[in-house]
Amino acid sequence: MSDKILSLIYGFSQKYTDHKTNLEFDPKNNNVSAIVKDGHVNISLVINNNNDQKYNEISSLLKQDIQGIPDVLSVNVILTSEKSESKSDSRFTIDTKHIIAVASGKGGVGKSTFAINLAVALKSIGMKVGLLDADIYGPSVPRMMGISGRPQANENKKLIPLESYGVRCMSIGFLVSNDTPTIWRGPMVMKALEQMFNGVEWGKLDYLIIDLPPGTGDAQLTLAQNSKLSGSIIISTPQDVALIDARKGINMFKRVNVEVLGLVENMSYFICDNCNEKHYIFSKDGARNEAEKFQIPFLGSIPIDKKLRVQSDEGKPCCIDEPDGEMSKRYISIAKNLNQSLSV
Ligand code: ADP
């Protein structure tokens, strides 16, 4: 019975979305879920604060419909809300035209590599760029950008970002020692992020690129609620195990009203030195198809490239080391497209 009820609930919810409310109300976005046990139905709806009256109406309509199904003994509808702060409420201030959060569901998919290369690519097309490494679990921007020093404070007690390849860089790694195991709790994440915005002399920027920690935790929510994010870019490898988590990231950003600017597929394939053929090691076109399903832009794919790994390890991003190389062209094309769509 529960399968039948669940499919009816989903059918009803879509009906209300389309014909009665015009609200986004879609199980695919995880804003409706239901548990059915022994004829008792518990439905949970994640609502947008601004529309709570409409949702109350839906809730009673939904309840009536489900009560009409044979064998249903009781129906309980719970409305929960995700607080969506108005963008003008932002507490983290910085003088920049755009703030872009680079995110991934899983670690190790190439999020930091993308963030630094995007920052350098934007710089190479003439933008003033800041790079904020907020990856509390493994800050890698200093190493990948070839930075060895530590930022100094100016007369206003603000930290001066360290500039590398023309990009102003600040890392959470500068605030904690590399070897100290750090357990990050919500308020600590909030404090550290606030310090990296308000406590840093960023100057005037066109873009601030943020390398987020993987997953959907405190750093993502803190930034969504306290800074004027222009949007997020999600990095994923093409295989299902990474895409499942990438999906959670997309849904989380949608719920907190942060636009997903696009999905990038990393480690799309590997071209073998011997046979010169493409090998789709982590499956083919997974992220491209996912972008289509979610109707978000697909920003491009980056193959597995040994040189890219070496350049990251040596602190020389590809757009610096080999500005005319194939990899640089891909990053620069993504940077140009992004810049164009954001200027519109
Ligand atoms: P994340 O930030 O998602 O944890 P990283 O950017 O740190 O991932 O990348 C993990 C490792 O994979 C690094 O050693 C990086 O150099 C390497 N890497 C990332 N993308 C590629 C790629 N397209 N080709 C080869 N190596 C890559």
Side-chain angles (χ1 to χ4, degrees):
M1 179 184 71
S2 58
D3 280 355
K4 190 174 157 211
I5 292 178
L6 283 177
S7 69
L8 278 169
I9 290 169
Y10 290 166
F12 288 142
S13 48
Q14 273 158 4
K15 179 175 84 183
Y16 295 136
T17 300
D18 294 339
H19 304 305
K20 296 191 180 166
T21 63
N22 281 333
L23 299 175
E24 191 189 18
F25 189 59
D26 183 353
K28 273 191 269 160
N29 288 341
N30 286 345
N31 60 4
V32 51
S33 61
I35 298 171
V36 184
K37 193 150 190 267
D38 302 331
H40 301 286
V41 183
N42 280 297
I43 302 170
S44 154
L45 304 180
V46 181
I47 68 165
N48 177 334
N49 278 350
N50 305 334
N51 283 311
D52 51 355
Q53 202 187 335
K54 280 280 180 203
Y55 275 102
N56 275 322
E57 284 168 29
I58 298 177
S59 154
S60 44
L61 288 168
L62 192 59
K63 208 165 167 174
Q64 271 172 28
D65 282 344
I66 304 244
Q67 266 162 347
I69 298 172
D71 299 331
V72 168
L73 303 177
S74 71
V75 184
N76 186 24
V77 181
I78 306 159
L79 301 181
T80 55
S81 77
E82 297 264 0
K83 196 171 176 212
S84 62
E85 308 258 339
S86 128
K87 294 214 166 184
S88 58
D89 289 345
S90 62
R91 290 175 33 196
F92 297 180
T93 50
I94 176 166
D95 184 1
T96 184
K97 288 187 193 142
H98 302 290
I99 305 179
I100 296 176
V102 178
S104 68
K106 278 205 178 308
V109 297
K111 169 186 53 60
S112 301
T113 308
F114 179 81
I116 65 140
N117 280 296
L118 175 66
V120 175
L122 282 166
K123 167 71 194 158
S124 79
I125 59 166
M127 300 293 129
K128 287 196 193 79
V129 187
L131 177 60
L132 194 166
D133 178 10
D135 190 345
I136 48 185
Y137 305 116
S140 40
V141 165
R143 183 174 48 86
M144 289 184 174
M145 288 293 280
I147 296 170
S148 53
R150 298 225 141 211
Q152 305 295 311
N154 66 9
E155 64 283 5
N156 301 325
K157 300 213 165 87
K158 284 195 170 194
L159 290 174
I160 304 164
L162 293 171
E163 197 163 313
S164 182
Y165 310 119
V167 174
R168 295 171 207 171
C169 303
M170 189 63 207
S171 171
I172 206 142
F174 295 140
L175 307 180
V176 286
S177 143
N178 265 355
D179 312 323
T180 319
T182 316
I183 300 165
W184 290 93
R185 302 194 190 284
M188 286 167 66
V189 174
M190 164 94 105
K191 195 91 209 102
L193 286 176
E194 186 174 8
Q195 198 182 340
M196 298 219 293
F197 271 78
N198 302 352
V200 173
E201 199 68 77
W202 286 105
K204 203 173 169 59
L205 299 175
D206 295 310
Y207 283 92
L208 180 73
I209 305 298
I210 306 178
D211 181 12
L212 284 175
T216 53
D218 291 317
Q220 283 77 355
L221 286 177
T222 301
L223 283 169
Q225 290 172 348
N226 294 284
S227 68
K228 286 185 185 172
L229 286 181
S230 309
S232 62
I233 296 178
I234 317 265
I235 315 302
S236 180
T237 53
Q239 90 263 41
D240 273 349
V241 72
L243 288 166
I244 289 167
D245 288 348
R247 243 167 257 155
K248 290 185 195 157
I250 295 171
N251 284 326
M252 183 213 66
F253 283 117
K254 282 189 164 181
R255 278 204 208 155
V256 292
N257 294 333
V258 172
E259 187 184 347
V260 179
L261 299 169
L263 197 59
V264 172
E265 186 175 274
N266 191 33
M267 309 192 187
S268 294
Y269 54 84
F270 171 71
I271 297 181
C272 169
D273 287 345
N274 293 329
C275 66
N276 218 19
E277 298 242 328
K278 285 182 183 173
H279 298 271
Y280 295 91
I281 292 170
F282 296 118
S283 171
K284 188 164 183 263
D285 288 337
R288 184 191 288 273
N289 295 338
E290 202 64 22
E292 211 169 282
K293 251 189 256 163
F294 273 91
Q295 297 185 326
I296 53 177
F298 180 67
L299 300 181
S301 55
I302 316 275
I304 298 177
D305 183 75
K306 186 176 163 198
K307 223 183 224 175
L308 190 65
R309 199 273 304 152
V310 173
Q311 287 160 333
S312 293
D313 283 355
E314 290 179 348
K316 262 194 211 155
C318 69
C319 296
I320 301 295
D321 196 39
E322 227 180 358
D324 298 322
E326 167 59 26
M327 288 295 137
S328 306
K329 283 186 191 148
R330 287 182 188 237
Y331 285 112
I332 289 170
S333 148
I334 293 174
K336 279 185 179 161
N337 289 341
L338 193 69
N339 186 44
Q340 200 165 24
S341 65
L342 285 171
S343 353
V344 174

